[in-house]
């Protein structure tokens, strides 16, 4: 990555193509409605039979007062009073249903509030969400209890409450401090308000603070982005995410408000990441997976060095749990080898709960082949490394035979360009190849061939 500039336009054009971000494998595109509430309940009840296994839980709090035009998240924009309060009631009902089917399986290793904007809620609503959960679940020692906060709407009193409740990890949306960029994406967030909340959170003693940035937004230049990152470095967050802007106007129609001609071209977008890479690694951060950095002593950085990093819908983690529950509209769970996704529509969500059913709308049960490929992709995405004998032992396969096509594809592309190296025992994504790790994973994706060539684009671009 250090020699971003050395990447030729030809290579960029070859590898910068639509591809999944692999927050799951198979990706959500494969989920279908044959997997519904009934099957989900069976999965929860099977999970109840493994009381000692680690469990994670995600709560989706979808509300935002206004929409940032770049946003790709599942958001409900409203300022109507009462909407969030009613949603909090619904969440309580959903948590009760889930807990009922989980029997004694009630200890969480990871708990996360994401959004939307969780701090859209009032203090009282936040307490109610917390208590709904705390009535049913307990936390394992050292559990990761995290929340996403938007510094523009998060008050000091909310920060204090989060600490009192037991949150230990904070993730703040920043994106970019430049005023032209902020104008173009309808998100006005000054450096001083971000700094103020950060310092207060530090004072309150949160264990870890993360900042989110996006590269590839309208009007960003290497110079403006450098300034943004330099400002962030004054605060030295423990972790940072530097996301590639996912421009998917065919899925998120509001992104059409972003003018194509304002977006940085491919080579500039790459330079933007190069700036972030250079500044963060130069300041002692370690790259984690494709788009995160962490200070060297952070648990994520330690896990990355030891090749024990995992990734789920909540992001990179050191707390792997095979079973993962999602509650709230649109949330995705992963339980007993199956993905299960809630409806995205508030009225359908409520209707299901009125019927006493979990609001699951679609899902996917993984086959053995899915599990093998998922492990391979997970390992590459997290560790830039694959231990081939470990996969062979775990699944009783001969890797070279099983993945002959994938290996050929790698050899003809990424290996030839020096972005991937391989031996009979390991596949390694090289330092300059990290930006193309999604492309390496795509060689192992059995579903991609069916998705390519369709009339509608599906994924954002890989770079
Ligand atoms: C739910 S938001 C974070 C909390 C809060 N809503 C905020 O914006 O501060 C999660 C993160 O997703 C990232 N994000 C949103 N839309 C994106 C897109 N289209 N492409 C890449 N990253 C995106 C942003 O970095 C954002 O901070
Ligand atoms: S980026 Fe955050 S604040 Fe902006 S619309 Fe998306 S979820 Fe809401």
């Amino acid at each position: 990555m250090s020699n971003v500039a050395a990447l030729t336009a030809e290579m960029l054009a070859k590898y910068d193509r639509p591809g999944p971000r692999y927050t799951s494998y198979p990706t959500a595109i494969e989920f279908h409605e044959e997997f519904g509430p009934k099957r989900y309940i069976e999965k929860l009840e099977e999970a109840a039979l493994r009381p000692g296994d680690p469990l994670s839980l995600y709560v989706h709090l979808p509300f935002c007062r206004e929409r940032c035009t770049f946003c790709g998240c599942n958001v409900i924009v409203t300022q109507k009073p009462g909407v969030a309060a009613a949603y909090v009631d619904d969440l309580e009902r959903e948590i009760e249903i889930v807990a009922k089917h989980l029997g004694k399986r009630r200890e969480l290793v990871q708990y996360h509030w994401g959004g939307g904007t969780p701090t859209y809620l009032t203090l009282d609503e936040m307490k109610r969400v917390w208590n709904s959960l705390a009535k049913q679940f307990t936390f394992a020692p050292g559990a990761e209890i995290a929340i996403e906060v938007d510094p523009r709407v998060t008050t000091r009193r909310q920060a204090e409450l989060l600490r009192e409740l037991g949150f230990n990890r904070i993730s703040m949306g920043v994106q970019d401090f430049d005023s032209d960029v902020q104008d173009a994406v309808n998100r006005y967030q000054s450096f001083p308000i971000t700094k103020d909340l950060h310092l207060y959170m530090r004072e309150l003693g949160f264990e870890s603070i993360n900042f989110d940035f996006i590269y590839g937004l309208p009007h960003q230049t290497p110079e403006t982005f450098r300034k943004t990152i330099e400002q962030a470095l004054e605060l030295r967050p423990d972790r940072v995410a530097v996301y590639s802007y996912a421009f998917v106007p065919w899925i998120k129609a509001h992104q059409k408000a972003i003018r194509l001609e304002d977006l940085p071209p491919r080579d500039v977008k790459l330079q933007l990441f190069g700036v972030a890479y250079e500044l963060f690694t130069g300041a002692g951060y370690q790259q984690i997976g494709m788009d995160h950095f962490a200070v060297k002593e952070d648990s994520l950085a330690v896990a990355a060095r030891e090749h024990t990093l995992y990734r789920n819908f909540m992001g990179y983690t050191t707390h792997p749990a095979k079973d993962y529950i999602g509650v709230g509209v649109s949330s995705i769970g992963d339980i007993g080898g199956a993905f299960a996704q809630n409806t995205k529509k508030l009225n359908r969500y409520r209707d299901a709960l009125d019927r006493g059913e979990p609001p699951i709308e679609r899902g996917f049960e993984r086959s053995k082949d899915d599990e093998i490929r998922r492990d391979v992709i997970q390992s590459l995405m997290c560790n830039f490394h694959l231990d081939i004998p470990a996969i062979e032992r775990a699944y009783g396969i001969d890797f070279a035979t099983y993945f002959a096509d994938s290996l050929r594809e790698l050899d003809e592309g990424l290996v030839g360009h020096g972005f991937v190296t391989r031996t009979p025992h390991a596949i390694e994504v090289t330092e300059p190849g990290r930006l193309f790790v999604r492309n390496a994973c795509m060689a192992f994706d059995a579903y991609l061939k069916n998705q390519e060539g369709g009339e509608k684009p599906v994924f954002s671009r890989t770079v």
Side-chain angles (χ1 to χ4, degrees), residues 89-394:
D89 292 339
D90 295 339
L91 273 179
E92 178 158 27
R93 294 194 290 165
E94 188 187 1
I95 292 169
E96 268 174 25
I97 294 175
V98 167
K100 185 175 84 191
H101 294 291
L102 276 174
K104 293 201 163 53
R105 181 95 183 264
R106 301 294 179 95
E107 194 181 70
L108 303 179
V109 293
Q110 203 191 3
Y111 178 44
H112 188 116
W113 287 13
T117 302
T119 49
Y120 175 101
L121 301 187
T122 62
L123 292 170
D124 182 51
E125 288 160 356
M126 287 165 63
K127 280 188 216 161
R128 283 174 50 211
V129 175
W130 180 271
N131 290 336
S132 310
L133 197 288
K135 261 197 260 168
Q136 309 286 355
F137 291 91
T138 57
F139 295 108
E144 223 176 76
I145 309 178
I147 181 168
E148 294 168 15
V149 304
D150 177 345
R152 299 171 304 160
V153 303
T154 306
T155 64
R156 286 185 162 224
R157 189 59 204 103
Q158 282 177 316
E160 289 157 14
L161 176 66
L162 293 174
R163 193 76 189 111
E164 284 159 30
L165 292 175
F167 283 90
N168 49 31
R169 294 182 179 275
I170 299 289
S171 179
M172 288 190 197
V174 175
Q175 329 310 345
D176 194 303
F177 289 124
D178 184 80
S179 59
D180 285 344
V181 177
Q182 295 192 355
D183 265 343
V185 298
N186 191 38
R187 181 179 176 114
Y188 302 94
Q189 176 175 341
S190 68
F191 177 64
I193 67 153
T194 311
K195 177 175 174 180
D196 196 51
L197 184 67
H198 178 264
L199 292 179
Y200 194 55
M201 295 276 197
R202 285 274 185 230
E203 215 175 284
L204 291 172
F206 287 98
E207 228 169 84
S208 167
I209 300 183
N210 171 82
F211 284 3
D212 285 343
F213 300 91
I214 303 180
Y215 69 98
L217 290 175
H219 299 303
Q220 277 178 331
T221 67
E223 293 71 36
T224 62
F225 203 49
R226 175 175 293 275
K227 200 158 164 236
T228 286
I229 305 289
E230 281 170 351
Q231 282 181 303
L233 276 172
E234 284 175 33
L235 306 178
R236 210 169 166 80
D238 306 281
R239 299 175 181 178
V240 293
V242 186
Y243 294 120
S244 165
Y245 175 40
F247 182 57
V248 286
W250 56 89
I251 301 173
K252 301 282 174 189
H254 61 262
Q255 288 188 349
K256 289 183 187 146
I258 288 183
R259 299 192 319 174
L260 264 177
E261 59 270 32
D262 293 340
L263 289 175
R266 182 185 276 156
D267 57 329
V268 176
K269 189 171 176 189
L270 191 65
Q271 286 169 28
L272 294 169
F273 185 77
V275 165
Y277 179 90
E278 174 204 317
L279 290 178
F280 284 122
T281 54
Y285 286 71
Q286 181 179 325
Q287 187 179 11
I288 310 291
M290 161 182 80
D291 47 18
H292 284 61
F293 298 85
V295 292
K296 294 243 160 71
E297 53 283 9
D298 186 278
S299 57
L300 276 190
V302 176
R305 289 197 291 275
E306 293 172 354
H307 289 172
T308 56
L309 202 61
Y310 291 84
R311 190 156 181 261
N312 58 26
F313 293 105
M314 295 187 247
Y316 287 102
T317 178
T318 54
H319 286 55
K322 266 218 157 84
D323 294 311
Y324 173 116
I325 307 285
V327 297
V329 280
S330 78
S331 66
I332 303 178
D334 178 355
I335 185 128
F339 295 121
Q341 182 167 31
N342 276 352
T343 172
K344 294 181 182 172
K345 298 267 188 253
L346 205 47
N347 56 347
R348 288 198 204 161
Y349 176 72
R350 188 154 300 151
D351 289 349
L353 294 169
D354 288 346
R355 294 193 298 272
E357 281 179 6
I360 295 293
E361 196 164 72
R362 48 188 208 134
F364 190 94
E365 289 194 57
R366 297 188 295 275
S367 65
K368 182 179 170 196
D369 178 68
D370 293 329
E371 295 291 359
I372 299 173
R373 290 172 190 273
R374 177 180 198 233
D375 260 12
V376 169
I377 288 174
Q378 164 103 279
S379 182
L380 289 172
M381 288 296 290
C382 292
N383 302 314
F384 299 121
H385 170 91
L386 179 72
D387 180 343
I388 291 177
I391 295 284
E392 292 180 321
R393 279 194 304 274

